[in-house]
Amino acid sequence: MMQFRRDAFLVVAEAALSVVARPIQIAPSAWASANLIVPDGPRAGLAYDMSLTPYVAEPLDKLGPDSAENEIAVMKAAQTGFTIMLIAALGHMIDRAPCRAMVIQPTDNAVSKFNRDKLDPAIRGSDALKKKVAVQASRSSQGSTTYSKRYPGGSLTLAIATSAADLRSDTIRMMLRDEIDEYPDDLDGQGDPLEISDGRQISFLASGDWKRADVSTPTIKGGSKIERRYEAGDQRRWHVRCPACGDAFVFEFGPNFRFEPTFPHKAYYVAPCCGSVIENHQKLDLIRGGRWIATAPRPGAFPSYHLDALSSPFVPWDEIAKASIAAGDDPARLKTFWNLWLGLPYEFKGDAPDHVRLLERREDAPPRGHVPPKGLLLVAAGDVQMRGIWVEILAIAPDRQTWVVDAFYCDGSTEAPGSLSDPPDSGNAFSQLLAKTIGREFPDAWGGVRRIDALAIDSGYRSHVVYATVRACQRQHPMSGEDMLFAVDGRDGWGKPPIGTPSLVDIDLSGRKVKKGCKIWPVGTWSLKGAFYADLRKDGLRAGAEVDPEGYCHFGTWLDETYFRQLTAEYLAEETYRGRAHKVWKLRASERDNHFLDCRIYNLALAEYLGLSKSTPAEWAKLAKERGMPASETPDLFRRSLADGTSTPAVVDMGDDEGWDVDEQLKRLGALNAARFGQR
Ligand SMILES: [Zn+2]
């Protein structure tokens, strides 16, 4: 009876306090453990278990009002579970320390996804949040959608890094910037989106009452925004304690991470302190007992964090071994492996290969206009000029070897849309382009004929004529049923996917709205160029190598110097812009034209769209059969595939809508982990 009275008194006293005082403060990590459910992925709907990703707690708590820190940066691998940190920080803020807050995502699509798949489910699943948050109807501005949410004491805006207006308006106390490597360097001359959004917190600088988090997987060395932010901070790494001698060290991809080159990989780690062997099954306990230690502590440096997949409980070490083997020495795959698995920026070599060397290694076969035996994909791209269109037709093998099937210039007017029904020698360059690509049959190596799988037309110039041409002869691909004509638009930036989500234009030449609009496909040219130039540098049989390596570029003897000069016309320059170093592609001083390079990049983007990086050996075999390749030839196509019969995991997300699709990767790895270890 006495006990009851005591409890009852406490309850009353607490209730009385809560009327007058601020909500009881607990750290965001403690709040998340008590209130948050996992919004998506294999553990969706379950209570958030902080012990699964113990390294999230410290940076998360820096975002709470009890921490004296104002800003943090997290440079991470894809499979590390840091997205939940942003959700937990927002949940805690709304429930315990409400203020004006903003989340910035790189694209419209990323904002919708973040809201739909993460934030809304987390709010709906939490009793503490769902009664506080009123969802405001989304408003549309400048073709994008802005979401905002209100709660007692504040509001949350979800903004897009490409909208200067969004980034510039009100002042905000908490700003969370996600996937910052995908933000543009400059917003149409108005400045760096990071700097513009920094400006929204200036009024809080005096009181020191502001919070900022930058989170991203990195892109390329020297051009990575998150690398710059990480280096500006004190560079904390997750240290584990050696089970044998007690020394602290970080699991790192390097000589201490060892595995068999063939399946099963039996990956293990050799402790750098005493040489004792750590098996995969010991990893989880060691990670759980780990802690952050700054590797570059200095006065004024804010906490910055780096975590790779080796320290992720979601990723078995064998998977990392497999991904690294699959990446081989292929630059596009290596970039993905470094960015997504190691959470590190990748260094592209930027010098253009020498055009004379390429000229010297030309080959006699196949003849011009013929598709080589392994050329399972056949794509074409046109670069539109004030007069005329440059065109390259490219055949591509599953291992990314390429052959130029044809390359030429359509001389003619580009002022009016073309049509397939025009005569091939028409004075309209678009009509010529159509006749010489999708209107044409190409002899293959098996006595059959092939047709173009997809045609890309650059819409950066004469945009409306290109749209009208594409609209007029929009065709369905015979196999996929998808459109096979693409109006493409090259985009700068290192975080852009090879081919992104299209936007729709439905205005015709005279400004009238038309029924069947034209899609414009954004092509992320920078990374494609980096990978292509690395491929161009590879030596093959002609240079005495044992085989033509993956990605090897074949050229026919019929190609002339103009072609090679254009193909090698650019280089990767380091530019200082607003006081910061950026890596950008530039035209070499000795060259005027890069049209065939643009064509090649669009062709490679089309190949990604058609599944070059994503298709499994079984899918390639099916395609090979449909295209008349004899069964005896097919095994040679798949030198890439791994010993356990699966395809290349390091490239699962090349070409996804969001570039490096963290969610998909996490889902896939989570499911795999659950199957292997049981749900923990
Ligand atoms: Zn040791």
Side-chain angles (χ1 to χ4, degrees):
M1 192 62 189
M2 279 304 285
Q3 186 64 41
F4 171 73
R5 285 176 56 94
R6 205 177 110 88
D7 287 350
F9 170 78
L10 273 177
V11 169
V12 172
E14 274 189 9
L17 263 177
S18 69
V19 173
V20 290
R22 288 208 315 171
I24 294 158
Q25 281 308 335
I26 55 171
S29 59
W31 180 90
S33 298
N35 292 287
L36 200 59
I37 60 123
V38 179
D40 65 346
R43 294 177 51 81
L46 300 176
Y48 176 49
D49 180 359
M50 185 63 73
S51 71
L52 257 182
T53 51
Y55 43 77
V56 169
E58 183 189 304
L60 170 59
D61 287 345
K62 303 283 185 215
L63 297 172
D66 292 340
S67 161
E69 308 287 354
N70 292 116
E71 56 186 322
I72 62 164
V74 179
M75 180 168 78
K76 65 185 184 65
Q79 316 83 340
T80 44
F82 270 104
T83 308
I84 197 87
M85 180 185 81
L86 299 181
I87 300 293
L90 291 171
H92 174 269
M93 180 272 298
I94 291 170
D95 191 30
R96 299 302 170 103
C99 65
R100 281 188 114 126
M102 174 176 269
V103 174
I104 304 173
Q105 294 284 347
T107 62
D108 204 21
N109 203 10
V111 170
S112 321
K113 250 174 113 174
F114 180 79
N115 188 51
R116 185 189 63 223
D117 300 345
K118 314 261 184 220
L119 188 58
D120 271 348
I123 291 171
R124 281 197 307 274
S126 158
D127 291 333
L129 298 178
K130 70 181 170 202
K131 59 176 189 256
K132 292 193 173 173
V133 178
V135 178
Q136 237 182 8
S138 58
R139 68 180 160 84
S140 281
S141 63
Q142 299 167 343
S144 64
T145 310
T146 308
Y147 301 90
S148 62
K149 296 173 197 300
R150 297 202 161 278
Y151 37 84
S155 63
L156 168 66
T157 306
L158 306 188
I160 304 157
T162 52
S163 163
D166 272 10
L167 303 183
R168 194 160 266 153
S169 36
D170 315 315
T171 56
I172 39 175
R173 206 166 80 197
M174 175 187 264
M175 186 159 65
L176 309 179
R177 300 187 291 206
D178 201 10
E179 291 305 336
I180 62 169
D181 264 37
E182 294 179 39
Y183 295 9
D185 285 342
D186 181 65
L187 287 183
D188 307 322
Q190 302 182 67
D192 177 347
L194 294 179
E195 278 175 19
I196 297 176
S197 52
D198 281 353
R200 302 191 53 161
Q201 298 193 293
I202 284 172
S203 56
F204 293 102
L205 290 184
S207 59
D209 194 13
W210 54 286
K211 295 288 176 182
R212 185 185 301 161
D214 289 332
V215 179
S216 192
T217 45
T219 47
I220 77 147
K221 189 96 191 151
S224 168
K225 295 174 170 63
I226 194 65
E227 181 193 31
R228 204 153 58 218
R229 296 287 294 147
Y230 173 71
E231 288 181 345
D234 64 6
Q235 304 169 30
R236 301 179 189 202
R237 307 290 314 273
W238 191 249
H239 286 67
V240 299
R241 187 177 289 281
C242 174
C245 76
D247 270 12
F249 64 87
V250 181
F251 288 129
E252 275 179 310
F253 188 82
N256 288 44
F257 179 61
R258 301 193 187 159
F259 51 84
E260 299 291 331
T262 54
F263 182 80
H265 301 298
K266 298 181 193 153
Y268 63 95
Y269 202 85
V270 178
C273 36
C274 62
S276 58
V277 167
I278 296 160
E279 302 286 353
N280 185 73
H281 67 84
Q282 298 172 275
K283 180 187 78 167
L284 201 58
D285 280 342
L286 294 184
I287 291 169
R288 282 182 172 168
R291 70 203 154 107
W292 289 110
I293 298 176
T295 59
R298 57 203 193 281
F302 59 86
S304 67
Y305 302 87
H306 167 51
L307 195 88
D308 67 19
L310 266 81
S311 296
S312 167
F314 301 117
V315 188
W317 281 344
D318 270 17
E319 288 299 309
I320 299 169
K322 189 167 139 183
S324 94
I325 293 163
D329 64 352
D330 179 286
R333 289 187 166 100
L334 274 173
K335 177 179 178 293
T336 307
F337 179 69
W338 275 64
N339 294 165
L340 287 184
W341 296 72
L342 302 185
L344 289 172
Y346 180 69
E347 185 153 24
F348 274 123
K349 281 196 203 135
D351 49 318
D354 175 22
H355 78 272
V356 178
R357 270 193 58 207
L358 296 175
L359 198 78
E360 284 165 2
R361 75 175 208 207
R362 289 176 298 174
E363 302 163 18
D364 291 329
R368 185 174 190 171
H370 286 241
V371 181
K374 289 188 199 172
L376 285 193
L377 299 177
L378 186 62
V379 289
D383 190 30
V384 179
Q385 305 301 306
M386 178 130 73
R387 179 180 174 84
I389 303 174
W390 297 86
V391 187
E392 187 196 52
I393 300 172
L394 193 70
I396 306 166
D399 70 355
R400 298 181 42 257
Q401 286 191 62
T402 55
W403 294 260
V404 184
V405 171
D406 210 343
F408 49 87
Y409 172 72
C410 299
D411 188 21
S413 162
T414 55
E415 283 168 32
S419 156
L420 260 172
S421 49
D422 272 2
D425 56 351
S426 129
N428 180 309
F430 285 103
S431 299
Q432 287 180 45
L433 166 71
L434 296 170
K436 291 174 179 176
T437 54
I438 60 176
R440 178 172 164 195
E441 289 184 336
F442 299 82
D444 71 10
W446 324 110
V449 288
R450 291 271 298 280
R451 283 181 171 278
I452 297 282
D453 293 316
L455 167 65
I457 311 178
D458 178 27
S459 65
Y461 191 68
R462 304 265 194 225
S463 309
H464 282 85
V465 188
V466 173
Y467 305 153
T469 303
V470 168
R471 262 201 309 270
C473 31
Q474 195 61 273
R475 287 181 151 201
Q476 300 283 292
H477 188 269
M479 275 168 207
S480 64
E482 307 261 0
D483 293 341
M484 59 170 293
L485 258 74
F486 294 73
V488 293
D489 188 21
R491 302 283 165 87
D492 292 348
W494 292 109
K496 301 280 192 304
I499 191 157
T501 310
S503 53
L504 196 69
V505 206
D506 48 10
I507 304 292
D508 72 4
L509 282 166
S510 52
R512 282 185 305 251
K513 209 165 160 71
V514 290
K515 249 193 198 154
K516 194 167 186 291
C518 171
K519 287 178 189 164
I520 307 167
W521 297 80
V523 169
T525 58
W526 285 16
S527 290
L528 282 172
K529 269 181 203 168
F532 171 56
Y533 273 8
D535 281 338
L536 266 188
R537 276 186 224 106
K538 289 178 178 170
D539 283 331
L541 288 165
R542 298 264 302 161
E546 256 174 55
V547 290
D548 290 331
E550 290 163 16
Y552 186 72
C553 305
H554 298 263
F555 301 105
T557 40
W558 51 270
L559 283 161
D560 64 9
E561 193 185 345
T562 304
Y563 173 83
F564 290 102
R565 289 184 73 136
Q566 289 196 13
L567 209 60
T568 57
E570 295 192 14
Y571 71 104
L572 195 53
E574 188 160 304
E575 258 192 354
T576 307
Y577 176 69
R578 290 176 190 263
R580 287 179 185 158
H582 293 268
K583 291 246 179 147
V584 295
W585 288 102
K586 283 188 151 184
L587 200 62
R588 288 201 278 182
S590 58
E591 302 300 327
R592 230 163 24 101
D593 298 321
N594 57 355
H595 313 305
F596 280 129
L597 175 61
D598 286 343
C599 290
R600 171 61 64 107
I601 296 307
Y602 293 137
N603 272 329
L604 294 173
L606 285 180
E608 287 302 331
Y609 178 83
L610 294 170
L612 180 62
S613 291
K614 288 179 166 181
S615 299
T616 61
E619 286 163 342
W620 283 119
K622 183 166 169 273
L623 188 66
K625 197 175 162 198
E626 282 164 356
R627 302 208 150 169
M629 178 185 267
S632 57
E633 299 284 335
T634 48
D636 191 36
L637 279 176
F638 312 120
R639 279 185 291 145
R640 246 269 55 90
S641 60
L642 300 174
D644 64 351
T646 57
S647 74
T648 55
V651 292
V652 285
D653 31 346
M654 284 292 282
D656 259 318
D657 283 0
E658 292 308 319
W660 331 114
D661 195 329
V662 177
D663 301 337
E664 273 311 307
Q665 190 93 0
L666 198 58
K667 266 182 208 158
R668 202 177 64 84
L669 290 159
L672 188 113
N673 229 29
R676 291 204 180 178
F677 301 138
Q679 197 60 262
R680 303 187 71 140

